[in-house]
């Protein structure tokens, strides 16, 4: 599997600085949605690099350290649960990705965006970009971004939310709508970290 094909094409087309962008945590009932933007040195060797969903948590952690030490530039950003409720998750995803790109210390010539969406009803990706469906398994830059976004979100859930609200056992379900999470919601109701707009079905069934 060659993860550099898209980057090589972009470089050949004159885009010297190519950035991969991905987000993590669109689906959970609680916590922020995270995004990362990563510019890698050309064909840098990152052994085991792949879509973050195909890696173990331990492997993701090891690659996180490797990517952050080797990247030419990277930035991780998030959009809070409160902001998600104010817009919607699609706009929030676009906003998180824009924040990640804007946080880079160098301007990309082209962004490779994971997925098939580059705009919501109010927020669009503003830099020059290409959308790649399944990009985290096709592009080294997007795979790197997917790992930084996923690890950053998991760390926040486990180190901040789980300690702040231990009764919800966030470390075990990462905010996703598991049986355990719904059982905690039934017992304690929502906390400030929950996305209220994601709980409408649960509210209706109470």
């Amino acid at each position: 599997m060659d993860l550099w094909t898209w980057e090589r094409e972009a470089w050949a087309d004159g885009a010297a600085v190519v950035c991969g962008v991905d987000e993590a945590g669109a689906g959970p009932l609680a916590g922020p949605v995270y995004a990362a933007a990563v510019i890698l040195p050309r064909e840098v060797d990152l052994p085991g690099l792949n879509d973050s969903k195909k890696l173990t948590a331990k492997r993701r952690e090891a690659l996180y350290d490797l990517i952050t030490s080797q990247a030419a530039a990277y930035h991780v950003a998030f959009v809070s649960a409160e902001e998600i409720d104010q817009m919607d998750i699609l706009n929030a995803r676009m906003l998180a990705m824009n924040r990640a790109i804007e946080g880079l210390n160098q301007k990309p010539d082209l962004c490779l965006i994971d997925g098939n969406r580059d705009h919501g009803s109010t927020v669009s990706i503003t830099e020059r970009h290409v959308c790649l469906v399944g990009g985290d398994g096709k592009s080294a830059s997007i795979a790197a971004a997917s790992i930084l976004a996923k690890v950053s979100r998991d760390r926040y859930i486990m180190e901040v939310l789980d300690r702040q609200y231990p009764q919800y056992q966030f470390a075990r379900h990462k905010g996703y709508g598991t049986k355990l999470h719904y059982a905690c919601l039934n017992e304690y109701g929502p906390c400030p970290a929950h996305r209220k707009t994601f709980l409408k079905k649960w509210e209706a069934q109470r």
Side-chain angles (χ1 to χ4, degrees), residues 54-123:
K54 294 177 180 169
L55 302 169
T56 63
K58 192 177 176 181
R59 190 81 199 106
R60 282 196 298 267
E61 285 282 349
L63 275 161
Y64 179 99
D65 293 340
L66 205 54
I67 293 159
T68 52
S69 64
Q70 300 280 330
Y74 72 90
H75 189 74
V76 179
F78 67 87
V79 171
S80 68
E82 189 181 359
E83 289 176 297
I84 293 167
D85 285 340
Q86 285 165 1
M87 41 183 81
D88 59 43
I89 189 59
L90 179 57
N91 283 301
R93 284 171 53 209
M94 299 303 128
L95 181 57
M97 289 196 276
N98 272 342
R99 285 177 178 172
I101 297 164
E102 286 161 8
L104 292 166
N105 61 13
Q106 53 180 292
K107 189 176 166 67
D109 297 315
L110 181 71
C111 295
L112 301 176
I113 309 280
D114 184 55
N116 64 351
R117 303 299 290 269
D118 63 358
H119 68 278
S121 56
T122 57
V123 185

